[in-house]
Amino acid sequence: MNPANAVTIPVASYAPAHFLLDVSDGVATVTLNRPHKKNPLTFESYRELTDLFAALKKDETVHAVVIAGAGGNFSSGGDVFEIIEPLTEMGTKDLTAFTRMTGELVREMRACPQPVIAAVEGICAGAGAIVAMASDIRLAAPSAKVAFLFNKVGLAGCDMGACAILPRLVGQGRASELLYTGRFMRAEEGERWGFFSRVCEGPVLEEARALAAEIVAGPTYANTMTKRMLAMEWAMSVEEAIEAEAVAQALCMTTNDFRRAFEAFAQKAKPVFGGD
């Protein structure tokens, strides 16, 4: 498991080795780019994606992230011959290092302050389904098919946080069905179950970028606070959450964007946020 190149900041200046990256107008678009194999992940792409999301925590020029796959599919998961086969030859120490590394990608996606939008079309399976799950918002093309395939290769469904996050998205019973069977969940079903926000009539990547642009136009500090509290409040009681939100909202009330919103409302105009 060789390390990827160190991700530089701002990430707009970084040239990734294992995926495509475009940064424009405050939106970073990450494209998994092995379309001939349905965009599987490798040891190196796991590491590089993790490093990218870690770098985004310090990049104040990016305010939203879109992640997609090239060639009509999101991702087929871990590459069978570049990941699965080598894993069968490893001992416990190396296997644990690998599973911790894959979980680190989910942690960094959740820890980066920017909202992450997954634009899902075609196959979205295994680790690809986890990347979509770990995103803040998921949009689907009608072709989208999602499967948590781990039991199909003799593994438990408890991979990369799936048993913690998926039930919160679709409910305990539905998550159990998906994880025990490894079956595909189609776009319409995923929308009905709450995994997808919506099934897009037009190109899903375009709709994801439009949603990202809408988020970028909003109050950056407040959006960052929303993401942080959505994550922190999983482990809080309702009483603790109410107090934490009181502190968080008071901080947002000290921002210039809060004052801009009031002044625009008073003038019957649309606020133009500055991100401070």
mmCIF file of all heavy atoms in Angstrom, residues 133-175:
data_model
loop_
_atom_site.group_PDB
_atom_site.id
_atom_site.type_symbol
_atom_site.label_atom_id
_atom_site.label_comp_id
_atom_site.label_asym_id
_atom_site.label_seq_id
_atom_site.Cartn_x
_atom_site.Cartn_y
_atom_site.Cartn_z
ATOM 1 N N MET A 133 -22.663 6.623 0.569
ATOM 2 C CA MET A 133 -23.288 6.674 1.889
ATOM 3 C C MET A 133 -22.641 7.736 2.772
ATOM 4 O O MET A 133 -23.331 8.443 3.518
ATOM 5 C CB MET A 133 -23.160 5.307 2.549
ATOM 6 C CG MET A 133 -23.715 5.197 3.957
ATOM 7 S SD MET A 133 -23.093 3.709 4.821
ATOM 8 C CE MET A 133 -21.393 4.240 5.199
ATOM 9 N N ALA A 134 -21.316 7.857 2.695
ATOM 10 C CA ALA A 134 -20.598 8.806 3.551
ATOM 11 C C ALA A 134 -20.767 10.251 3.111
ATOM 12 O O ALA A 134 -20.418 11.167 3.859
ATOM 13 C CB ALA A 134 -19.108 8.445 3.573
ATOM 14 N N SER A 135 -21.275 10.463 1.906
ATOM 15 C CA SER A 135 -21.525 11.826 1.432
ATOM 16 C C SER A 135 -22.702 12.426 2.199
ATOM 17 O O SER A 135 -23.524 11.711 2.774
ATOM 18 C CB SER A 135 -21.826 11.804 -0.072
ATOM 19 O OG SER A 135 -20.743 11.254 -0.800
ATOM 20 N N ASP A 136 -22.793 13.736 2.185
ATOM 21 C CA ASP A 136 -23.875 14.403 2.906
ATOM 22 C C ASP A 136 -25.201 14.323 2.162
ATOM 23 O O ASP A 136 -26.263 14.257 2.774
ATOM 24 C CB ASP A 136 -23.505 15.875 3.143
ATOM 25 C CG ASP A 136 -22.259 16.004 3.999
ATOM 26 O OD1 ASP A 136 -22.343 15.709 5.201
ATOM 27 O OD2 ASP A 136 -21.201 16.373 3.458
ATOM 28 N N ILE A 137 -25.127 14.339 0.837
ATOM 29 C CA ILE A 137 -26.317 14.317 -0.014
ATOM 30 C C ILE A 137 -26.029 13.376 -1.168
ATOM 31 O O ILE A 137 -24.915 13.360 -1.701
ATOM 32 C CB ILE A 137 -26.647 15.725 -0.556
ATOM 33 C CG1 ILE A 137 -26.863 16.719 0.594
ATOM 34 C CG2 ILE A 137 -27.884 15.690 -1.465
ATOM 35 C CD1 ILE A 137 -26.916 18.170 0.149
ATOM 36 N N ARG A 138 -27.035 12.599 -1.561
ATOM 37 C CA ARG A 138 -26.885 11.676 -2.689
ATOM 38 C C ARG A 138 -27.990 11.939 -3.708
ATOM 39 O O ARG A 138 -29.175 11.902 -3.363
ATOM 40 C CB ARG A 138 -26.989 10.222 -2.203
ATOM 41 C CG ARG A 138 -25.782 9.764 -1.391
ATOM 42 C CD ARG A 138 -26.148 8.641 -0.435
ATOM 43 N NE ARG A 138 -27.119 9.100 0.561
ATOM 44 C CZ ARG A 138 -26.812 9.830 1.625
ATOM 45 N NH1 ARG A 138 -25.557 10.166 1.860
ATOM 46 N NH2 ARG A 138 -27.758 10.239 2.458
ATOM 47 N N LEU A 139 -27.582 12.202 -4.948
ATOM 48 C CA LEU A 139 -28.518 12.336 -6.057
ATOM 49 C C LEU A 139 -28.326 11.141 -6.980
ATOM 50 O O LEU A 139 -27.206 10.665 -7.170
ATOM 51 C CB LEU A 139 -28.278 13.635 -6.835
ATOM 52 C CG LEU A 139 -28.332 14.943 -6.051
ATOM 53 C CD1 LEU A 139 -28.182 16.135 -6.997
ATOM 54 C CD2 LEU A 139 -29.603 15.067 -5.234
ATOM 55 N N ALA A 140 -29.425 10.671 -7.582
ATOM 56 C CA ALA A 140 -29.358 9.469 -8.404
ATOM 57 C C ALA A 140 -29.810 9.736 -9.821
ATOM 58 O O ALA A 140 -30.761 10.486 -10.056
ATOM 59 C CB ALA A 140 -30.236 8.371 -7.807
ATOM 60 N N ALA A 141 -29.137 9.105 -10.764
ATOM 61 C CA ALA A 141 -29.671 8.959 -12.112
ATOM 62 C C ALA A 141 -30.637 7.774 -12.097
ATOM 63 O O ALA A 141 -30.536 6.899 -11.235
ATOM 64 C CB ALA A 141 -28.537 8.701 -13.102
ATOM 65 N N PRO A 142 -31.583 7.712 -13.031
ATOM 66 C CA PRO A 142 -32.487 6.559 -13.066
ATOM 67 C C PRO A 142 -31.757 5.226 -13.173
ATOM 68 O O PRO A 142 -32.281 4.186 -12.755
ATOM 69 C CB PRO A 142 -33.341 6.826 -14.313
ATOM 70 C CG PRO A 142 -33.325 8.317 -14.468
ATOM 71 C CD PRO A 142 -31.952 8.734 -14.028
ATOM 72 N N SER A 143 -30.534 5.228 -13.703
ATOM 73 C CA SER A 143 -29.766 4.000 -13.884
ATOM 74 C C SER A 143 -29.072 3.526 -12.614
ATOM 75 O O SER A 143 -28.486 2.433 -12.591
ATOM 76 C CB SER A 143 -28.705 4.212 -14.968
ATOM 77 O OG SER A 143 -27.746 5.197 -14.545
ATOM 78 N N ALA A 144 -29.097 4.318 -11.555
ATOM 79 C CA ALA A 144 -28.320 4.015 -10.363
ATOM 80 C C ALA A 144 -28.771 2.709 -9.709
ATOM 81 O O ALA A 144 -29.964 2.462 -9.533
ATOM 82 C CB ALA A 144 -28.419 5.159 -9.364
ATOM 83 N N LYS A 145 -27.779 1.895 -9.318
ATOM 84 C CA LYS A 145 -28.024 0.654 -8.596
ATOM 85 C C LYS A 145 -26.977 0.543 -7.488
ATOM 86 O O LYS A 145 -25.780 0.530 -7.764
ATOM 87 C CB LYS A 145 -27.933 -0.562 -9.520
ATOM 88 C CG LYS A 145 -28.956 -0.602 -10.634
ATOM 89 C CD LYS A 145 -29.014 -1.989 -11.297
ATOM 90 C CE LYS A 145 -27.677 -2.395 -11.859
ATOM 91 N NZ LYS A 145 -27.754 -3.746 -12.510
ATOM 92 N N VAL A 146 -27.436 0.463 -6.244
ATOM 93 C CA VAL A 146 -26.542 0.501 -5.093
ATOM 94 C C VAL A 146 -26.577 -0.846 -4.372
ATOM 95 O O VAL A 146 -27.656 -1.377 -4.096
ATOM 96 C CB VAL A 146 -26.958 1.617 -4.110
ATOM 97 C CG1 VAL A 146 -26.015 1.652 -2.906
ATOM 98 C CG2 VAL A 146 -26.987 2.970 -4.811
ATOM 99 N N ALA A 147 -25.407 -1.384 -4.068
ATOM 100 C CA ALA A 147 -25.342 -2.645 -3.332
ATOM 101 C C ALA A 147 -24.160 -2.638 -2.373
ATOM 102 O O ALA A 147 -23.051 -2.253 -2.751
ATOM 103 C CB ALA A 147 -25.234 -3.829 -4.290
ATOM 104 N N PHE A 148 -24.423 -3.052 -1.148
ATOM 105 C CA PHE A 148 -23.381 -3.245 -0.144
ATOM 106 C C PHE A 148 -23.007 -4.728 -0.205
ATOM 107 O O PHE A 148 -23.578 -5.560 0.488
ATOM 108 C CB PHE A 148 -23.893 -2.819 1.228
ATOM 109 C CG PHE A 148 -24.224 -1.355 1.289
ATOM 110 C CD1 PHE A 148 -25.461 -0.884 0.853
ATOM 111 C CD2 PHE A 148 -23.291 -0.432 1.750
ATOM 112 C CE1 PHE A 148 -25.764 0.472 0.883
ATOM 113 C CE2 PHE A 148 -23.580 0.920 1.787
ATOM 114 C CZ PHE A 148 -24.820 1.377 1.345
ATOM 115 N N LEU A 149 -22.047 -5.040 -1.056
ATOM 116 C CA LEU A 149 -21.795 -6.404 -1.525
ATOM 117 C C LEU A 149 -20.930 -7.258 -0.600
ATOM 118 O O LEU A 149 -20.550 -8.363 -0.979
ATOM 119 C CB LEU A 149 -21.090 -6.352 -2.893
ATOM 120 C CG LEU A 149 -21.895 -5.823 -4.085
ATOM 121 C CD1 LEU A 149 -20.991 -5.697 -5.303
ATOM 122 C CD2 LEU A 149 -23.050 -6.771 -4.387
ATOM 123 N N PHE A 150 -20.630 -6.782 0.584
ATOM 124 C CA PHE A 150 -19.590 -7.415 1.384
ATOM 125 C C PHE A 150 -19.868 -8.887 1.670
ATOM 126 O O PHE A 150 -18.968 -9.719 1.627
ATOM 127 C CB PHE A 150 -19.387 -6.615 2.671
ATOM 128 C CG PHE A 150 -19.138 -5.157 2.399
ATOM 129 C CD1 PHE A 150 -20.103 -4.202 2.668
ATOM 130 C CD2 PHE A 150 -17.945 -4.749 1.819
ATOM 131 C CE1 PHE A 150 -19.884 -2.870 2.373
ATOM 132 C CE2 PHE A 150 -17.716 -3.419 1.521
ATOM 133 C CZ PHE A 150 -18.689 -2.472 1.796
ATOM 134 N N ASN A 151 -21.133 -9.233 1.961
ATOM 135 C CA ASN A 151 -21.395 -10.646 2.258
ATOM 136 C C ASN A 151 -21.278 -11.522 1.007
ATOM 137 O O ASN A 151 -21.137 -12.737 1.104
ATOM 138 C CB ASN A 151 -22.746 -10.828 2.941
ATOM 139 C CG ASN A 151 -23.916 -10.781 1.987
ATOM 140 O OD1 ASN A 151 -23.874 -10.066 0.979
ATOM 141 N ND2 ASN A 151 -24.964 -11.529 2.292
ATOM 142 N N LYS A 152 -21.310 -10.918 -0.169
ATOM 143 C CA LYS A 152 -21.136 -11.688 -1.404
ATOM 144 C C LYS A 152 -19.700 -12.200 -1.553
ATOM 145 O O LYS A 152 -19.448 -13.131 -2.319
ATOM 146 C CB LYS A 152 -21.491 -10.825 -2.623
ATOM 147 C CG LYS A 152 -22.950 -10.355 -2.673
ATOM 148 C CD LYS A 152 -23.905 -11.507 -2.887
ATOM 149 C CE LYS A 152 -25.320 -10.987 -3.147
ATOM 150 N NZ LYS A 152 -26.297 -12.093 -3.281
ATOM 151 N N VAL A 153 -18.765 -11.560 -0.841
ATOM 152 C CA VAL A 153 -17.375 -12.026 -0.882
ATOM 153 C C VAL A 153 -16.967 -12.602 0.476
ATOM 154 O O VAL A 153 -15.781 -12.654 0.814
ATOM 155 C CB VAL A 153 -16.413 -10.893 -1.311
ATOM 156 C CG1 VAL A 153 -16.680 -10.480 -2.741
ATOM 157 C CG2 VAL A 153 -16.519 -9.677 -0.379
ATOM 158 N N GLY A 154 -17.956 -13.024 1.253
ATOM 159 C CA GLY A 154 -17.673 -13.699 2.505
ATOM 160 C C GLY A 154 -17.318 -12.800 3.662
ATOM 161 O O GLY A 154 -16.753 -13.258 4.658
ATOM 162 N N LEU A 155 -17.671 -11.517 3.563
ATOM 163 C CA LEU A 155 -17.345 -10.562 4.617
ATOM 164 C C LEU A 155 -18.606 -10.037 5.297
ATOM 165 O O LEU A 155 -19.707 -10.144 4.760
ATOM 166 C CB LEU A 155 -16.546 -9.392 4.036
ATOM 167 C CG LEU A 155 -15.188 -9.743 3.430
ATOM 168 C CD1 LEU A 155 -14.547 -8.507 2.823
ATOM 169 C CD2 LEU A 155 -14.262 -10.370 4.475
ATOM 170 N N ALA A 156 -18.423 -9.450 6.462
ATOM 171 C CA ALA A 156 -19.538 -8.851 7.197
ATOM 172 C C ALA A 156 -19.939 -7.526 6.572
ATOM 173 O O ALA A 156 -19.134 -6.855 5.919
ATOM 174 C CB ALA A 156 -19.141 -8.645 8.662
ATOM 175 N N GLY A 157 -21.173 -7.146 6.787
ATOM 176 C CA GLY A 157 -21.654 -5.851 6.303
ATOM 177 C C GLY A 157 -21.112 -4.679 7.096
ATOM 178 O O GLY A 157 -21.281 -3.528 6.691
ATOM 179 N N CYS A 158 -20.462 -4.963 8.228
ATOM 180 C CA CYS A 158 -19.951 -3.882 9.082
ATOM 181 C C CYS A 158 -18.618 -3.397 8.535
ATOM 182 O O CYS A 158 -17.554 -3.717 9.073
ATOM 183 C CB CYS A 158 -19.816 -4.355 10.529
ATOM 184 S SG CYS A 158 -18.809 -5.847 10.744
ATOM 185 N N ASP A 159 -18.666 -2.612 7.472
ATOM 186 C CA ASP A 159 -17.456 -2.160 6.804
ATOM 187 C C ASP A 159 -17.490 -0.651 6.643
ATOM 188 O O ASP A 159 -18.477 -0.094 6.151
ATOM 189 C CB ASP A 159 -17.331 -2.822 5.426
ATOM 190 C CG ASP A 159 -15.920 -2.722 4.871
ATOM 191 O OD1 ASP A 159 -15.018 -3.399 5.409
ATOM 192 O OD2 ASP A 159 -15.723 -1.981 3.900
ATOM 193 N N MET A 160 -16.448 0.024 7.082
ATOM 194 C CA MET A 160 -16.280 1.457 6.861
ATOM 195 C C MET A 160 -17.440 2.272 7.428
ATOM 196 O O MET A 160 -17.811 3.297 6.897
ATOM 197 C CB MET A 160 -16.090 1.757 5.374
ATOM 198 C CG MET A 160 -14.888 1.082 4.733
ATOM 199 S SD MET A 160 -14.853 1.210 2.935
ATOM 200 C CE MET A 160 -14.493 2.964 2.698
ATOM 201 N N GLY A 161 -18.022 1.803 8.527
ATOM 202 C CA GLY A 161 -19.090 2.556 9.180
ATOM 203 C C GLY A 161 -20.485 2.247 8.681
ATOM 204 O O GLY A 161 -21.441 2.916 9.075
ATOM 205 N N ALA A 162 -20.648 1.217 7.857
ATOM 206 C CA ALA A 162 -21.955 0.942 7.259
ATOM 207 C C ALA A 162 -23.020 0.650 8.311
ATOM 208 O O ALA A 162 -24.166 1.091 8.187
ATOM 209 C CB ALA A 162 -21.853 -0.228 6.274
ATOM 210 N N CYS A 163 -22.663 -0.102 9.349
ATOM 211 C CA CYS A 163 -23.659 -0.460 10.356
ATOM 212 C C CYS A 163 -24.046 0.720 11.246
ATOM 213 O O CYS A 163 -25.065 0.664 11.934
ATOM 214 C CB CYS A 163 -23.166 -1.624 11.211
ATOM 215 S SG CYS A 163 -23.220 -3.215 10.355
ATOM 216 N N ALA A 164 -23.254 1.767 11.231
ATOM 217 C CA ALA A 164 -23.593 2.973 11.987
ATOM 218 C C ALA A 164 -24.364 3.973 11.142
ATOM 219 O O ALA A 164 -25.328 4.583 11.601
ATOM 220 C CB ALA A 164 -22.321 3.624 12.524
ATOM 221 N N ILE A 165 -23.937 4.151 9.878
ATOM 222 C CA ILE A 165 -24.491 5.230 9.054
ATOM 223 C C ILE A 165 -25.725 4.791 8.277
ATOM 224 O O ILE A 165 -26.726 5.510 8.234
ATOM 225 C CB ILE A 165 -23.409 5.758 8.082
ATOM 226 C CG1 ILE A 165 -22.207 6.300 8.867
ATOM 227 C CG2 ILE A 165 -23.981 6.854 7.181
ATOM 228 C CD1 ILE A 165 -21.021 6.686 7.993
ATOM 229 N N LEU A 166 -25.669 3.613 7.647
ATOM 230 C CA LEU A 166 -26.781 3.210 6.780
ATOM 231 C C LEU A 166 -28.117 3.130 7.510
ATOM 232 O O LEU A 166 -29.130 3.601 6.968
ATOM 233 C CB LEU A 166 -26.449 1.874 6.100
ATOM 234 C CG LEU A 166 -27.422 1.431 5.001
ATOM 235 C CD1 LEU A 166 -27.480 2.454 3.870
ATOM 236 C CD2 LEU A 166 -27.011 0.059 4.444
ATOM 237 N N PRO A 167 -28.195 2.585 8.738
ATOM 238 C CA PRO A 167 -29.495 2.589 9.425
ATOM 239 C C PRO A 167 -30.043 3.979 9.685
ATOM 240 O O PRO A 167 -31.264 4.172 9.730
ATOM 241 C CB PRO A 167 -29.194 1.860 10.741
ATOM 242 C CG PRO A 167 -28.000 1.022 10.448
ATOM 243 C CD PRO A 167 -27.173 1.839 9.490
ATOM 244 N N ARG A 168 -29.161 4.951 9.829
ATOM 245 C CA ARG A 168 -29.629 6.317 10.047
ATOM 246 C C ARG A 168 -30.205 6.927 8.769
ATOM 247 O O ARG A 168 -30.952 7.905 8.829
ATOM 248 C CB ARG A 168 -28.483 7.186 10.570
ATOM 249 C CG ARG A 168 -28.101 6.876 12.020
ATOM 250 C CD ARG A 168 -26.863 7.675 12.426
ATOM 251 N NE ARG A 168 -26.706 7.723 13.866
ATOM 252 C CZ ARG A 168 -26.022 6.836 14.589
ATOM 253 N NH1 ARG A 168 -25.443 5.809 13.974
ATOM 254 N NH2 ARG A 168 -25.906 6.961 15.896
ATOM 255 N N LEU A 169 -29.840 6.362 7.625
ATOM 256 C CA LEU A 169 -30.344 6.871 6.348
ATOM 257 C C LEU A 169 -31.637 6.176 5.943
ATOM 258 O O LEU A 169 -32.584 6.832 5.494
ATOM 259 C CB LEU A 169 -29.295 6.677 5.243
ATOM 260 C CG LEU A 169 -27.956 7.375 5.430
ATOM 261 C CD1 LEU A 169 -27.021 7.034 4.272
ATOM 262 C CD2 LEU A 169 -28.128 8.882 5.545
ATOM 263 N N VAL A 170 -31.676 4.851 6.083
ATOM 264 C CA VAL A 170 -32.818 4.096 5.542
ATOM 265 C C VAL A 170 -33.613 3.366 6.610
ATOM 266 O O VAL A 170 -34.654 2.768 6.295
ATOM 267 C CB VAL A 170 -32.348 3.098 4.456
ATOM 268 C CG1 VAL A 170 -31.595 3.819 3.349
ATOM 269 C CG2 VAL A 170 -31.489 1.985 5.044
ATOM 270 N N GLY A 171 -33.146 3.371 7.856
ATOM 271 C CA GLY A 171 -33.815 2.631 8.907
ATOM 272 C C GLY A 171 -33.123 1.306 9.178
ATOM 273 O O GLY A 171 -32.465 0.733 8.303
ATOM 274 N N GLN A 172 -33.294 0.811 10.400
ATOM 275 C CA GLN A 172 -32.584 -0.391 10.834
ATOM 276 C C GLN A 172 -32.971 -1.627 10.011
ATOM 277 O O GLN A 172 -32.113 -2.397 9.574
ATOM 278 C CB GLN A 172 -32.872 -0.654 12.318
ATOM 279 C CG GLN A 172 -32.063 -1.784 12.928
ATOM 280 C CD GLN A 172 -30.637 -1.365 13.264
ATOM 281 O OE1 GLN A 172 -30.307 -0.175 13.251
ATOM 282 N NE2 GLN A 172 -29.795 -2.335 13.576
ATOM 283 N N GLY A 173 -34.270 -1.829 9.798
ATOM 284 C CA GLY A 173 -34.710 -3.017 9.083
ATOM 285 C C GLY A 173 -34.253 -3.028 7.637
ATOM 286 O O GLY A 173 -33.790 -4.059 7.121
ATOM 287 N N ARG A 174 -34.380 -1.893 6.961
ATOM 288 C CA ARG A 174 -33.958 -1.822 5.562
ATOM 289 C C ARG A 174 -32.446 -1.967 5.436
ATOM 290 O O ARG A 174 -31.950 -2.630 4.510
ATOM 291 C CB ARG A 174 -34.447 -0.508 4.959
ATOM 292 C CG ARG A 174 -35.964 -0.481 4.750
ATOM 293 C CD ARG A 174 -36.465 0.904 4.471
ATOM 294 N NE ARG A 174 -37.872 0.882 4.065
ATOM 295 C CZ ARG A 174 -38.632 1.963 3.952
ATOM 296 N NH1 ARG A 174 -38.111 3.157 4.198
ATOM 297 N NH2 ARG A 174 -39.897 1.851 3.585
ATOM 298 N N ALA A 175 -31.705 -1.323 6.342
ATOM 299 C CA ALA A 175 -30.257 -1.480 6.324
ATOM 300 C C ALA A 175 -29.875 -2.940 6.545
ATOM 301 O O ALA A 175 -28.970 -3.469 5.882
ATOM 302 C CB ALA A 175 -29.615 -0.601 7.394
#
